Amino acid sequence: MTRRQSARTRSRSIRTRLLVFVSATLIAVCVAMGLVTTLFQHAYLMGNMDDRVLGVAERALGGASLHPEPESDLTFLRETGQPAGMLSARLDAKGAIVAAAVVVPDAPPRSLDAEQLAAVAGIRADGAMHTRTVPGLGTYRITVLVDDGVRVLTGLPMDDVQDMISGLVVIETGVAVAGLAVAGLVCAVVIRRQLRPLGRVAATAAEVSRAPLGHGEVTGLTRVPERDTDPDSEAGQVGAALNHLLDHVESSLAERRRSEERARHSEERMRHSEERMRRFLADASHELRTPLASIAGYAELMNRGTDRIEPVLAWRRVSAESARMTGLVEDLLLLARLDEGRPLQSAEVDLAALVAEAVWEARAAGGGHDWQLELTLDAPTLVLGDEARLHQVVANLLSNARMHTPAGTRVVASVESTTDHCVIRVRDNGPGIPPALLPTVFERFTRADTSRSRADAKSGGSGLGLAIAAAITGAHEGRIRVESAPGRTEFTIELPAASKAGVEERAVSGRPAPV
């Protein structure tokens, strides 16, 4: 089976599972609505029935009270206006039936036989409504009323109520079946249309994940069609992030080829450049394959565990992987711009306020650490630079301390100033950086966990935080260094202070800071 056929199969599987889920939901809703409607209708009809029975019983009791003796007198059943099928009986003081008869259309009332008398016997004279099935007559709603020693049992047939409820159930069932058929057809069409972009993105991801990104010349990687990169949809966000990442991969490979051409004049420099590029491509390929494998293989994951995975969870995972790829692309693009020497924004920045804000944000993100701020200000802490990027440097250092030290670690951010320099220090009393890792700590994709198959890709970061901090510091003509030993790790950033003359000159000329 080709890759495109496999993607179609997974897409059909997703559509089938979603359709089953939606259909089951609609069935549950229809059943619930039908049940509630039937119960309410039944209660309404039974209420009307009880009112009719009570009215007939009160009328029968009134007629019987006119002839209290003998107790077997049922002459009131012969009065005009008595409903057909009405059942009535006289009871003695102990509640036993003395005489009972049923009203028959166009004929005198017919006495009940022994089997029918047994069916209505034993009803207490409490005024409550009772339901009894009388052989040969059907189901009756019966009550017993007492007035001045006269006890009368009265009941009306419930066949019309039961027939109405049965008819209502049949109608509701027919409407529900028709509605489910229409809703199922509409859902099938909508789900099929909505999942088409995701199927195309998954097919593209599967094809790219098999490309030999770690070696050889790779050009013309398959892209997600523009119609599937709408930022207003989850599938569109994934497609756009995938295209951005593929653009950067191709540009990185092109840069590698240019570096190889320039390195031909020096064999040693060529070997060094080749080694760095291979490591970069291996790391970039790993960072690319991890989210792409999650997206491309998600349909197969649903096939293996559809009873435990809901469509809503699927969209959340796709959105999370999209956000992760977008963050990686932004970091790589920032490093690429800094490598090209593009100028940053230049303005007067107060480092004391900037570091204080970063510490406050770090305290909110990592409440398990002891965050402290120290200011030693012999001069104003003003520098010329890009405030957002400098804030990113400090935030990366604080995030690095939070991620690689246990809870309860003290992290201190300090700012010192002289007439020539402003110094930012971030130190902690954590376990420290392994000595073997110190020489490469500011290189790209450097992590404390060197395994390429990390158990938790989210907790360890992408390995670009310190590289970005070093690149931004260098773009501001500053220096960054680290000293680490068990129990103490300190990062130091040294930036040139902004002179008054330099600030005024840049304010007049509008020139950006040199980078």
Side-chain angles (χ1 to χ4, degrees):
M1 181 181 292
T2 64
R3 290 193 292 268
R4 188 174 298 276
Q5 290 173 336
S6 178
R8 290 199 192 101
T9 301
R10 289 193 294 269
S11 180
R12 285 195 297 269
S13 177
I14 294 176
R15 287 196 297 269
T16 302
R17 302 303 176 182
L18 285 177
L19 184 58
V20 170
F21 174 78
V22 173
S23 299
T25 302
L26 290 175
I27 291 174
V29 171
C30 290
V31 170
M33 291 179 61
L35 182 61
V36 171
T37 303
T38 303
L39 291 176
F40 273 99
Q41 187 68 20
H42 180 270
Y44 174 76
L45 293 175
M46 290 301 296
N48 287 344
M49 183 70 189
D50 291 345
D51 292 340
R52 290 170 54 200
V53 172
L54 183 59
V56 173
E58 289 176 348
R59 181 178 176 184
L61 180 61
S65 298
L66 298 176
H67 306 281
E69 297 295 340
E71 292 182 346
S72 61
D73 183 84
L74 297 176
T75 56
F76 60 86
L77 289 179
R78 295 184 175 86
E79 295 178 359
T80 59
Q82 299 290 9
M86 171 185 170
L87 183 151
S88 187
R90 292 285 297 272
L91 309 179
D92 59 16
K94 296 182 180 180
I97 298 177
V98 177
V102 61
V103 176
V104 179
D106 301 327
R110 186 177 70 244
S111 298
L112 302 183
D113 57 26
E115 188 178 2
Q116 292 171 339
L117 289 175
V120 298
I123 299 178
R124 300 177 61 183
D126 54 4
M129 296 293 172
H130 302 270
T131 301
R132 295 292 178 89
T133 300
V134 182
L137 297 179
T139 303
Y140 273 72
R141 193 69 168 167
I142 301 173
T143 187
V144 177
L145 299 182
V146 180
D147 182 24
D148 196 19
V150 178
R151 293 175 172 81
V152 177
L153 181 149
T154 307
L156 290 177
M158 297 177 57
D159 294 339
D160 54 346
V161 174
Q162 292 179 334
D163 292 342
M164 186 175 296
I165 293 176
S166 300
L168 177 63
V169 171
V170 171
I171 293 174
E172 289 181 347
T173 302
V175 173
V177 171
L180 285 175
V182 174
L185 180 61
V186 173
C187 288
V189 174
V190 172
I191 291 174
R192 182 182 181 88
R193 180 170 298 178
Q194 292 296 324
L195 287 181
R196 284 175 182 171
L198 184 59
R200 291 190 288 267
V201 171
T204 303
E207 185 172 351
V208 172
S209 65
R210 294 179 176 85
L213 300 179
H215 57 83
E217 182 177 353
V218 180
T219 57
L221 293 176
T222 303
R223 296 296 198 276
V224 177
E226 184 176 357
R227 59 178 176 172
D228 297 330
T229 58
D230 183 6
D232 294 332
S233 65
E234 291 81 357
Q237 294 172 7
V238 174
L242 178 58
N243 282 350
H244 284 308
L245 192 55
L246 293 177
D247 290 340
H248 184 72
V249 169
E250 285 194 347
S251 65
S252 298
L253 294 175
E255 179 63 25
R256 186 192 69 171
R257 291 194 296 272
R258 291 192 293 268
S259 298
E260 290 175 350
E261 293 176 358
R262 291 194 298 266
R264 290 176 182 175
H265 302 288
S266 174
E267 182 178 356
E268 186 65 25
R269 182 181 177 185
M270 181 180 65
R271 286 198 301 267
H272 179 69
S273 176
E274 187 74 18
E275 178 182 356
R276 291 189 61 187
M277 186 59 66
R278 286 175 179 171
R279 185 175 62 184
F280 171 79
L281 288 176
D283 287 327
S285 298
H286 168 69
E287 293 297 330
L288 170 64
R289 291 172 188 267
T290 299
L292 290 185
S294 177
I295 297 172
Y298 190 78
E300 296 179 0
L301 180 61
M302 291 187 67
N303 288 335
R304 295 194 299 268
T306 54
D307 293 336
R308 301 185 298 273
I309 297 180
E310 298 179 357
V312 174
L313 177 60
W315 287 112
R316 290 178 180 173
R317 293 299 304 144
V318 169
S319 179
E321 292 297 337
S322 172
R324 181 182 169 199
M325 284 192 295
T326 301
L328 175 61
V329 170
E330 293 296 334
D331 289 343
L332 291 174
L333 290 178
L334 174 60
L335 287 172
R337 286 194 295 266
L338 294 174
D339 289 343
E340 293 174 359
R342 296 185 183 180
L344 299 174
Q345 295 183 1
S346 179
E348 192 175 61
V349 180
D350 187 350
L351 290 184
L354 184 146
V355 173
E357 181 181 1
V359 171
W360 180 265
E361 295 173 353
R363 180 182 290 113
H369 286 65
D370 181 13
W371 301 95
Q372 297 188 7
L373 175 66
E374 294 180 356
L375 300 178
T376 305
L377 309 179
D378 296 330
T381 57
L382 300 178
V383 298
L384 287 177
D386 189 328
E387 182 176 1
R389 295 308 178 192
L390 291 175
H391 183 278
Q392 184 177 3
V393 172
V394 180
N396 284 359
L397 295 181
L398 295 175
S399 175
N400 184 73
R402 173 174 56 83
M403 293 170 58
H404 297 289
T405 59
T409 300
R410 175 180 296 177
V411 182
V412 180
S414 63
V415 181
E416 304 170 8
S417 64
T418 64
T419 56
D420 298 326
H421 295 90
C422 293
V423 180
I424 302 173
R425 304 182 192 275
V426 177
R427 67 178 183 272
D428 63 75
N429 59 352
I433 301 174
L437 193 64
L438 275 176
T440 61
V441 71
F442 294 110
E443 294 183 4
R444 300 168 189 183
F445 297 109
T446 297
R447 306 184 188 89
D449 177 11
T450 57
S451 172
R452 296 196 183 280
S453 58
R454 292 167 289 156
D456 187 359
K458 295 181 180 179
S459 62
S462 62
L464 297 176
L466 294 181
I468 291 175
I472 295 175
T473 303
H476 287 81
E477 298 183 346
R479 296 186 303 167
I480 184 171
R481 62 182 184 273
V482 60
E483 297 176 357
S484 181
R488 179 181 175 85
T489 298
E490 182 175 279
F491 287 85
T492 303
I493 301 173
E494 187 175 298
L495 297 171
S499 64
K500 183 177 180 180
V503 173
E504 293 175 350
E505 179 184 354
R506 296 185 189 282
V508 173
S509 63
R511 288 184 288 107
V515 294

